[in-house]
Amino acid sequence: MMIRKESLNWPLMSNNISSDDLKCLIKFLETNPRLTQASQVSEFEKEWSEWLGVKYSVFVNSGSSANILTLAAVRHLYGTGEIILPPLTWVSDVVAVIQNGFTPVFADINPRTLSLDDERVIEKITDKTLAVFLTHAQGFNGLTDRLINVLNERSIMLIEDVCEAHGSTFNGQKNGTHGLVSNFSFYYAHHMSTVEGGMVCTDDESVYQVARMLRSHGMVREATNDKLKNDYKLNHPDLSPDFIFAYPGFNFRNSEIGAVIGRNQLKRLDGNNEKRNKNFSLFLENLNPEFYRTDFELTGCCNYAFNLVMKHKDPDFRDRVEKTLDQYDVEYRRGSSGGGNQLRQPYLKRFLHENEYSLYPEVEHIHFYGFYIGNYPELDDDRIIALCNVLNHI
């Protein structure tokens, strides 16, 4: 393939599975181990919990599975109701709400964080609100003291989607530790990768035990609470203790292979995040603020992407931006997280009033005039500045 002379050769993610990860995996495979969920998964869950600062973690086969499993656990433990979430999120957040029988209620975003605007959320709270499912979009912190205080006062659950924000913080505490339960993704293009994978995290033992069972077909033997298991055995003497299914569950298990890679990647996550934050700050400092938004809230941010958001609604300029990025071989995604406004998607329109997507102007702006470009640790300063120069001279 011919490389254009002016090519920046900038993929969304580069080298997220390192040679060291592969060497570690090969060494493990040479021991002729069991490859399905076993001791490596348990160790990864323990190490991840320690890194995050929670009591319990459940390793699953994707961040999307983590979303679905989390909402299923909430439904079994607390029933159904309304869940407030942003239109700017990954599709599986919305799907998990719908498939588990909750009513989705949408609120607009804060343009400085791309996450839920606390004022818009508070406006949508009713006596039917069971939870707020907040996405820390693209590595930004989406929480505020005001939002947490209102949720606590009204006994409304907070569920955190941290799939794009590993290491982000609020008030110095890692996101994913503020609510009842949180979800992470280890997809290839995220802060760290297990190829495919995700994690459900909580301090609540009931959520943890239900999540463990739901992960493996609803089997009681997957629980770690001996009293819970014995109670099921006593109440169901006609069943084999190895095959008691407490819930209509899933097969969301991951493998020992994913856990080995995850354990090795976790060792360098903090260092990589420091480099990403430095990269993002340099990117924003060198963008022309007349053309692009540069006033993002960086406190607590841990971003794996360069957010390129046009300051004004200008379709012609947007088209020139896309053409230029293509010309310089810079991979990008328009609409940022999940392709922009989920309310415009065919799967969701059938549940909504006509043109409901237009009620969220901040999300609509990102949908048409927002992009993200890859941000990875090995980027050097000169390359980032070169990209900014290209963007500033469109």
Side-chain angles (χ1 to χ4, degrees):
M1 174 181 172
M2 292 292 293
I3 301 296
R4 296 182 180 92
K5 183 178 180 181
E6 67 272 27
S7 172
L8 288 173
N9 189 25
W10 198 301
L12 280 186
M13 181 56 69
S14 173
N15 197 29
N16 209 18
I17 302 292
S18 71
S19 59
D20 185 62
D21 293 327
L22 296 178
K23 289 176 183 176
C24 186
L25 180 58
I26 290 168
K27 183 177 179 180
F28 172 73
L29 292 173
E30 287 175 343
T31 68
N32 193 28
R34 168 180 167 174
L35 297 182
T36 55
Q37 178 181 297
S39 60
Q40 290 293 320
V41 168
S42 296
E43 288 301 311
F44 182 36
E45 291 171 337
K46 184 186 304 181
E47 291 167 6
W48 179 264
S49 295
E50 292 172 355
W51 175 85
L52 181 61
V54 295
K55 293 180 181 178
Y56 310 109
S57 294
V58 180
F59 187 39
V60 294
N61 57 9
S62 72
S64 297
S65 294
N67 297 153
I68 294 171
L69 190 153
T70 290
L71 271 293
V74 169
R75 173 169 55 89
H76 287 301
L77 290 169
Y78 299 102
T80 57
E82 293 180 351
I83 293 183
I84 300 173
L85 71 165
L88 186 71
T89 188
W90 188 248
V91 57
S92 62
D93 286 35
V94 184
V95 167
V97 169
I98 294 171
Q99 289 183 338
N100 280 289
F102 299 99
T103 301
V105 174
F106 296 96
D108 211 346
I109 61 168
N110 179 340
R112 296 191 66 207
T113 66
L114 306 186
S115 303
L116 281 170
D117 184 303
D118 60 1
E119 187 174 350
R120 303 285 84 81
V121 172
I122 292 166
E123 289 173 351
K124 295 294 182 80
I125 292 175
T126 70
D127 58 1
K128 297 179 182 178
T129 304
L130 183 70
V132 170
F133 193 4
L134 182 143
T135 300
H136 296 284
Q138 293 288 295
F140 294 106
N141 162 58
L143 289 172
T144 65
D145 286 316
R146 181 187 183 200
L147 178 60
I148 287 180
N149 290 338
V150 169
L151 297 185
N152 288 339
E153 288 168 3
R154 303 193 187 187
S155 300
I156 295 170
M157 286 178 280
L158 171 65
I159 303 168
E160 296 179 80
D161 178 344
V162 205
C163 290
E164 300 177 340
H166 310 45
S168 66
T169 61
F170 173 62
N171 287 344
Q173 180 179 329
K174 284 193 179 82
N175 288 326
T177 64
H178 301 281
L180 173 70
V181 59
S182 62
N183 303 152
F184 289 80
S185 169
F186 305 128
Y187 178 62
Y188 175 77
H190 289 172
H191 293 74
M192 58 172 277
S193 178
T194 59
V195 184
E196 297 280 358
M199 199 76 83
V200 176
C201 306
T202 185
D203 283 329
D204 187 287
E205 191 192 357
S206 295
V207 171
Y208 173 61
Q209 299 298 343
V210 172
R212 284 187 61 88
M213 289 185 279
L214 285 171
R215 173 177 63 178
S216 299
H217 306 287
M219 284 193 293
V220 171
R221 75 184 190 203
E222 291 294 317
T224 60
N225 185 305
D226 289 336
K227 183 179 184 306
L228 183 151
K229 290 194 285 189
N230 287 332
D231 286 346
Y232 271 102
K233 291 177 186 178
L234 291 173
N235 291 327
H236 301 279
D238 58 320
L239 299 176
S240 165
D242 290 330
F243 294 103
I244 301 175
F245 300 95
Y247 300 99
F250 316 96
N251 181 4
F252 284 165
R253 294 180 298 238
N254 210 311
S255 69
E256 294 287 271
I257 291 173
V260 168
I261 295 174
R263 294 183 69 191
N264 203 54
Q265 291 233 337
L266 184 55
K267 298 173 184 176
R268 62 180 184 272
L269 177 58
D270 289 335
N272 283 347
N273 284 347
E274 289 181 11
K275 295 175 184 176
R276 286 190 170 97
N277 284 337
K278 176 177 173 291
N279 292 346
F280 190 39
S281 294
L282 184 66
F283 176 74
L284 294 178
E285 288 165 5
N286 284 275
L287 273 185
N288 189 334
E290 293 184 12
F291 302 150
Y292 309 103
R293 291 180 180 174
T294 60
D295 64 339
F296 293 107
E297 177 54 67
L298 299 186
T299 303
C301 175
C302 192
N303 204 308
Y304 76 97
F306 291 157
N307 297 98
L308 184 69
V309 180
M310 295 175 195
K311 198 163 188 177
H312 307 290
K313 297 177 181 179
D314 186 337
D316 291 335
F317 181 62
R318 177 202 58 209
D319 293 346
R320 294 202 306 273
V321 168
E322 291 190 0
K323 183 177 179 179
T324 301
L325 291 173
D326 290 336
Q327 178 185 358
Y328 280 84
D329 292 316
V330 178
E331 191 174 2
Y332 60 88
R333 294 291 185 268
R334 195 174 93 190
S336 198
S337 299
N341 193 344
Q342 289 293 316
L343 277 63
R344 286 181 170 272
Q345 293 291 346
Y347 80 92
L348 191 51
K349 279 187 176 181
R350 70 193 70 175
F351 298 101
L352 306 172
H353 299 297
E354 188 175 1
N355 297 330
E356 187 169 339
Y357 55 80
S358 65
L359 301 178
Y360 308 91
E362 297 297 348
V363 172
E364 281 285 274
H365 186 84
I366 300 300
H367 184 91
F368 290 105
Y369 304 105
F371 301 82
Y372 80 82
I373 296 168
N375 172 15
Y376 27 90
E378 61 264 34
L379 286 172
D380 59 56
D381 291 0
D382 289 344
R383 198 169 172 208
I384 295 169
I385 292 170
L387 172 61
C388 291
N389 287 336
V390 167
L391 293 168
N392 291 341
H393 288 87
I394 294 174

